[in-house]
Amino acid sequence: MDIKRIGILTSGGDCPGLNAIIRSVVKASALKGWEVYGIPYGTDGFVEVAHGKYQAEDLLLTKHGYALPGMLKGLDVLQFLSGSVLGSLSKGHPEQPDIAAAILKGYAMLDIEALIVVGGDGSLDIIYDLATKGNWHIIAIPKTIDNDVPFTDLAVGFSTAVDIVTQALYDLTFTAASHERIIIVQVMGRDAGHLTLHAGIAGGADIILIPEITPCLTPEVIRGCCDQLVNLRQSGRHFALIVISEGVHDQNEQKNKYIADYLAEKISQTSQHLCEIKDPSFCDLIDLDIRATTLGHLQRSGTPLSFDRLLATVFGIKAVELIEQGIYDQVVIWRNGQVEHTDLQPIIGIIKKCHQENRCAFPVDKDGFMVKTAKSLGIYLGEV
Ligand code: F6P
């Protein structure tokens, strides 16, 4: 039997499903008699190896496993847990020559044949450069609640995050209705609107604002929001839910950490103004309470849903299979309900270009079926 030594690391912001990936890689590899080394805190782990903090033996997941004590001994709990048992690194400095050199040294000291990199677009970009310098064999597994990795329909973590935001919208509906309030929910996703759009539809939002359609909150967009709220009121609905992606900018095209609060204020000001210039239908909005809620990191840390566990597991198994076949520098992807793999290099090319141009590498398709669905439901998307 060909005994392989492989490594795995998780990099970038955590998300539900990372542990399920690690578990599936370790299980499948152990059955083949391979050794899997878990690199702590992304590429920082290699630096620590280079500095002597860890010996290869300390990182051998196939030996240490994650045993639980007492009656729980033998319980395979890892896939249920969010976060990453390996830790993740969202801000390393591998571009610094001394750090890059230490990473390459640590990698070489472990003497691994291939590395499974679990990361989003930023991490894949950075690690690809290191891999090129060090002649590493890598297999990438896409993960991110933002779902902005090109070529894959889904990244691990996205489905659970959609569910968390959807549930939050459901929960907020009743307080909004009881107080006749407009509740604005600020959703993560960086410069991609997938999370906001999916959860907005599933959670019954009346207005969905995403950067792909509403890059900034112009007076026209605010006016559109007010119109939608008036229409709802006239139809007998005395509350409303708005979801806004954190990637939507303010009127001055500036990123605003509190974009939901900004929108609340603008809706109040605009309805006041419209009421004063004698459009009485807007006077009704003035007395409405508007509240902004930011879900923050709650969106990243929930128990992974069964679908994310499955996706994570399938991706992990596929990565091991590719290594077994000696097919490297690939990214495993989910397309049309199937696991596939494709060359990493073209994806990195797209990611790099988009980063340089300050664009999202895999934005929401403005003409896609999700946007069409939202529009068909009468949801206002900010289009003027
Ligand atoms: O990329 C995942 C993500 O959660 C984004 O949606 C969000 O903008 C960012 O990470 C938050 O990063 P941090 O955890 O460093 O604040």
Side-chain angles (χ1 to χ4, degrees):
M1 191 164 40
D2 179 18
I3 308 282
K4 290 190 188 289
R5 288 164 65 97
I6 66 168
I8 180 166
L9 61 77
T10 52
S11 187
D14 70 338
C15 67
L18 298 178
N19 286 322
I21 299 174
I22 297 165
R23 169 186 174 264
S24 81
V25 166
V26 171
K27 278 201 139 187
S29 302
L31 284 174
K32 295 178 192 304
W34 297 5
E35 293 175 350
V36 181
Y37 295 85
I39 316 302
Y41 298 100
T43 48
D44 257 13
F46 290 126
V47 177
E48 303 288 12
V49 170
H51 292 166
K53 180 172 171 193
Y54 301 113
Q55 306 300 316
E57 167 81 0
D58 305 329
L59 310 180
L60 188 52
L61 299 181
T62 26
K63 178 167 174 206
H64 301 301
Y66 295 101
L68 290 171
M71 297 305 286
L72 296 181
K73 192 168 189 309
L75 180 67
D76 187 358
V77 79
L78 203 53
Q79 66 163 328
F80 308 134
L81 304 178
S82 206
S84 166
V85 276
L86 295 175
S88 195
L89 178 74
S90 47
K91 284 184 183 64
H93 298 285
E95 71 288 352
Q96 291 178 13
D98 54 334
I99 295 184
I103 292 171
L104 296 173
K105 182 175 171 197
Y107 185 97
M109 284 167 73
L110 288 179
D111 193 24
I112 51 183
E113 200 166 322
L115 177 69
I116 297 177
V117 176
V118 184
D121 63 341
S123 309
L124 297 185
D125 181 9
I126 292 166
I127 293 176
Y128 185 80
D129 289 346
L130 288 163
T132 310
K133 277 192 197 127
N135 280 323
W136 304 353
H137 293 316
I138 57 173
I139 304 291
I141 298 185
K143 64 86 218 170
T144 166
I145 65 163
D146 307 338
N147 209 36
D148 56 355
V149 179
F151 291 17
T152 185
D153 294 343
L154 286 170
V156 172
F158 175 66
S159 304
T160 305
V162 170
D163 199 60
I164 292 168
V165 180
T166 303
Q167 181 64 43
L169 290 175
Y170 176 76
D171 293 342
L172 288 165
T173 300
F174 299 96
T175 178
S178 303
H179 289 274
E180 298 200 348
R181 278 178 171 161
I182 298 162
I183 295 199
I184 307 177
V185 182
Q186 183 170 321
V187 174
M188 278 185 170
R190 272 194 310 177
D191 47 6
H194 301 283
L195 182 53
T196 308
L197 179 62
H198 281 66
I201 295 172
D206 304 295
I207 297 175
I208 299 176
L209 300 172
I210 58 174
E212 292 86 345
I213 297 178
T214 309
C216 49
L217 295 176
T218 60
E220 292 76 24
V221 169
I222 305 288
R223 170 70 200 251
C225 291
C226 292
D227 287 343
Q228 174 81 338
L229 295 170
V230 165
N231 290 341
L232 282 173
R233 216 168 158 75
Q234 287 173 349
S235 74
R237 270 276 300 283
H238 284 200
F239 68 95
L241 284 181
I242 301 176
V243 272
I244 181 164
S245 170
E246 63 178 357
V248 173
H249 290 176
D250 67 17
Q251 191 176 331
N252 303 316
E253 300 179 22
Q254 297 302 308
K255 184 169 171 51
N256 187 325
K257 213 172 160 186
Y258 306 103
I259 195 69
D261 293 86
Y262 177 91
L263 176 60
E265 206 181 304
K266 288 289 170 196
I267 289 176
S268 294
Q269 285 169 1
T270 306
S271 39
Q272 176 88 44
H273 175 69
L274 291 167
C275 169
E276 278 165 13
I277 58 168
K278 295 193 183 44
D279 189 342
S281 48
F282 291 94
C283 302
D284 277 355
L285 295 184
I286 294 173
D287 294 334
L288 285 183
D289 273 347
I290 309 185
R291 294 286 187 271
T293 299
T294 300
L295 299 179
H297 290 80
L298 284 172
Q299 295 160 93
R300 282 223 314 237
S301 206
T303 304
L305 286 183
S306 54
F307 183 76
D308 264 329
R309 289 182 212 169
L310 280 170
L311 188 67
T313 306
V314 166
F315 277 178
I317 300 296
K318 187 72 186 173
V320 170
E321 185 187 300
L322 289 170
I323 293 172
E324 188 166 39
Q325 294 166 353
I327 305 173
Y328 298 122
D329 301 328
Q330 300 289 301
V331 56
V332 295
I333 54 171
W334 187 253
R335 208 152 37 186
N336 303 323
Q338 294 290 326
V339 63
E340 293 176 14
H341 63 97
T342 186
D343 286 342
L344 189 52
Q345 203 272 334
I347 295 190
I348 299 295
I350 294 175
I351 291 174
K352 280 192 186 300
K353 190 163 188 291
C354 291
H355 285 176
Q356 270 162 14
E357 294 170 3
N358 224 357
R359 281 191 294 120
C360 176
F362 181 54
V364 168
D365 177 1
K366 283 193 271 188
D367 303 314
F369 71 97
M370 274 297 171
V371 168
K372 207 166 143 194
T373 300
K375 284 184 183 166
S376 304
L377 289 171
I379 298 170
Y380 176 62
L381 290 165
E383 71 280 21
V384 187

